[in-house]
Amino acid sequence: GAVVSQHPSWVICKSGTSVKIECRSLDFQATTMFWYRQFPKQSLMLMATSNEGSKATYEQGVEKDKFLINHASLTLSTLTVTSAHPEDSSFYICSALASGGMMDEQYFGPGTRLTVT
Amino acid sequence: QKEVEQDPGPLSVPEGAIVSLNCTYSNSAFQYFMWYRQYSRKGPELLMYTYSSGNKEDGRFTAQVDKSSKYISLFIRDSQPSDSATYLCAMGYQAGTALIFGKGTTLSVSS
């Protein structure tokens, strides 16, 4: 099956610093990638939709200047958490939609656990 | 009212039991219905996918969608300890769009 990787799998950073998370589709091309955030015992909440070569679309309440998304190629999207604060500590998960795929061809990465101290 | 409601449990059953997991939703525009399994600190893994109403079976898993009642179910037969995980229902409006997830139900199967 298709594989999506995320790097790093976990990261600890100090408050005020920036962290970049990579999401890669390893064996397929993805024109669309989604970024979700999951707090403990909570659902996955969509943060933004990332389309290759264009600006990301952010969900209501998600600060686009704080969560910078770049989808520079058909296999890579990055999420940069700028000026991180402890409340940004969460589990960040990306998913990649296989080009031309139906709903079930959305593959999830293993997630990145961010802890801001 | 949230778009997708799911009882978080936890749900504890003995090995071999039949497990029933459920979600309700409020938006009749949903067309795609999925069930994902998520182990602790891992990404979700797709278990079942159904378009519109009806039943779908895959091994020990059966997914049911009742659009008239806005209710979906996942049944697990002959449950195994390896089935212990969090099960998330997810729904979508159309192909290629993001999914709306339930909170997830934590299942524990004891041997």
Side-chain angles (χ1 to χ4, degrees):
Chain A
V3 178
V4 175
S5 70
Q6 280 185 243
H7 178 80
S9 56
W10 61 273
V11 58
I12 301 173
C13 71
K14 291 187 176 181
S15 186
T17 62
S18 295
V19 174
K20 179 185 283 189
I21 302 170
E22 293 185 349
C23 176
R24 292 182 185 271
S25 56
L26 298 185
D27 50 3
F28 67 98
Q29 293 185 332
T31 53
T32 301
M33 291 184 175
F34 303 101
W35 286 96
Y36 295 85
R37 180 167 52 184
Q38 186 178 34
F39 291 105
K41 299 188 184 300
Q42 297 295 316
S43 178
L44 277 75
M45 298 299 294
L46 179 68
M47 297 177 66
T49 301
S50 167
N51 291 298
E52 187 265 339
S54 63
K55 289 185 178 181
T57 303
Y58 291 82
E59 294 300 298
Q60 191 173 12
V62 177
E63 300 175 59
K64 62 180 180 181
D65 294 330
K66 182 173 181 61
F67 298 98
L68 302 179
I69 292 173
N70 188 318
H71 195 154
S73 75
L74 288 173
T75 59
L76 173 65
S77 177
T78 60
L79 168 68
T80 302
V81 183
T82 62
S83 187
H85 290 284
E87 57 265 30
D88 298 323
S89 298
S90 187
F91 193 49
Y92 292 86
I93 304 175
C94 72
S95 71
L97 186 67
S99 299
M102 296 297 290
M103 190 62 74
D104 61 345
E105 293 185 51
Q106 187 175 149
Y107 302 98
F108 283 82
T112 296
R113 185 161 301 280
L114 169 64
T115 301
V116 184
T117 60
Chain B
Q1 181 187 10
K2 292 186 177 179
E3 280 195 287
V4 179
E5 298 275 6
Q6 184 176 10
D7 186 343
L11 181 61
S12 296
V13 301
E15 183 175 358
I18 297 175
V19 176
S20 172
L21 304 168
N22 311 293
C23 286
T24 59
Y25 62 96
S26 57
N27 195 329
S28 58
F30 286 131
Q31 298 279 2
Y32 299 85
F33 304 91
M34 281 83 157
W35 286 95
Y36 286 85
R37 178 172 59 196
Q38 186 178 27
Y39 294 108
S40 181
R41 298 173 182 260
K42 301 291 184 184
E45 169 197 8
L46 180 66
L47 281 177
M48 301 288 286
Y49 153 67
T50 307
Y51 173 71
S52 193
S53 283
N55 296 353
K56 191 170 187 178
E57 187 173 321
D58 184 2
R60 296 185 294 110
F61 299 90
T62 300
Q64 289 184 349
V65 175
D66 182 349
K67 292 190 73 177
S68 62
S69 301
K70 299 192 182 70
Y71 187 88
I72 70 170
S73 300
L74 177 70
F75 297 96
I76 306 174
R77 292 184 298 279
D78 187 25
S79 56
Q80 303 294 310
S82 58
D83 294 329
S84 298
T86 296
Y87 291 81
L88 299 153
C89 63
M91 306 179 189
Y93 298 102
Q94 60 186 39
T97 61
L99 300 173
I100 310 297
F101 283 85
K103 275 191 174 183
T105 300
T106 301
L107 171 67
S108 176
V109 182
S110 56
S111 56

